[in-house]
Amino acid sequence: PKVFYRYPIERKSHSQNITNWLGLTKNPHLFLYLLLLLMKPFFVIASLRRLLEASWLFTWTEFIALLQVILIHGTQKRKYTYEPYWFHLYDVSMIIKQRGYPVEMVVAALYHDSAEDPCFTLPDRFGYLKGIISGLPALDHELVLDLVSDLTDVYVYQHFPHLNRKDRKLLEIKRFSSASLQAKIIKLADLYNNTVCIHKQDPGFYRVYYPECNQLLECIGNVDPVIFHQVRHSLIPPPEVLVPVEG
């Protein structure tokens, strides 16, 4: 089997290896982002709860990946709730973890949005992620990268400004139809987490999101009965989509 190293092979202490896996050797400023996240008064308890839960339930590889994801996304906030964005990534990965899927799928769920930073070109982003993921121990690195690639939207506004949202989403669904089974399962978990949030926080946009989500759900299919049922149950039709009952 292939063995991937982010750094030249040499004897290193346990603490040095931890530092390398976190990326702090080359990106020491990112450590400040982690501290800033934990210092936010409204999210400190939620952050600590997730970190403590992860330290108990995650494998060592998954926990290191979570810390790296926190550093990658820095002070990025989730729309509507303004929570640290890594909350969403963690929640999606926990759905995959609780369903008993392998470590590669859990790690890919953590990184599933990390290649969609519009500040980088697509090759640069994947090159950066490859360097990070290749440093994680006890992992099929190529499988994780393939899953992240499948889960990364290609037809985004930054690269296709001449297409409207509807056309971009249709092309994205067509592309994703050939994705792997593992990627589709992770996408289901992502849809569930997003649907619950959007339905509660933005009813206006939910009217646009609802048909898009249904189309994507049809493309994915019932690849995991439990998560599929959760998504279906959370997809409540907006008022104008509800069919009136006569009589």
Side-chain angles (χ1 to χ4, degrees), residues 22 24 27-40 43-44 47-48 51 63-64 66-76 84 86-87:
L22 291 177
L24 300 180
N27 303 286
H29 64 283
L30 292 179
F31 187 69
L32 178 60
Y33 291 152
L34 176 60
L35 295 178
L36 289 174
L37 284 174
L38 295 179
M39 289 170 62
K40 293 291 183 180
F43 301 122
V44 61
S47 297
L48 291 175
L51 288 172
F63 189 70
I64 291 297
L66 171 63
L67 296 181
Q68 183 61 265
V69 163
I70 294 173
L71 300 180
I72 289 174
H73 289 272
T75 55
Q76 182 182 358
W86 69 269
F87 281 19

Side-chain angles (χ1 to χ4, degrees), residues 198-245:
I198 294 173
H199 179 258
K200 290 180 179 179
Q201 303 294 335
D202 193 344
F205 176 67
Y206 185 75
R207 296 185 182 94
V208 176
Y209 177 82
Y210 176 79
E212 294 175 352
C213 191
N214 271 313
Q215 290 175 330
L216 183 55
L217 199 58
E218 183 178 349
C219 164
I220 295 173
N222 189 6
V223 291
D224 182 293
V226 173
I227 307 177
F228 185 84
H229 175 73
Q230 289 175 329
V231 178
R232 276 295 187 200
H233 183 71
S234 65
L235 269 177
I236 302 172
E240 63 269 26
V241 180
L242 292 173
V243 179
V245 179

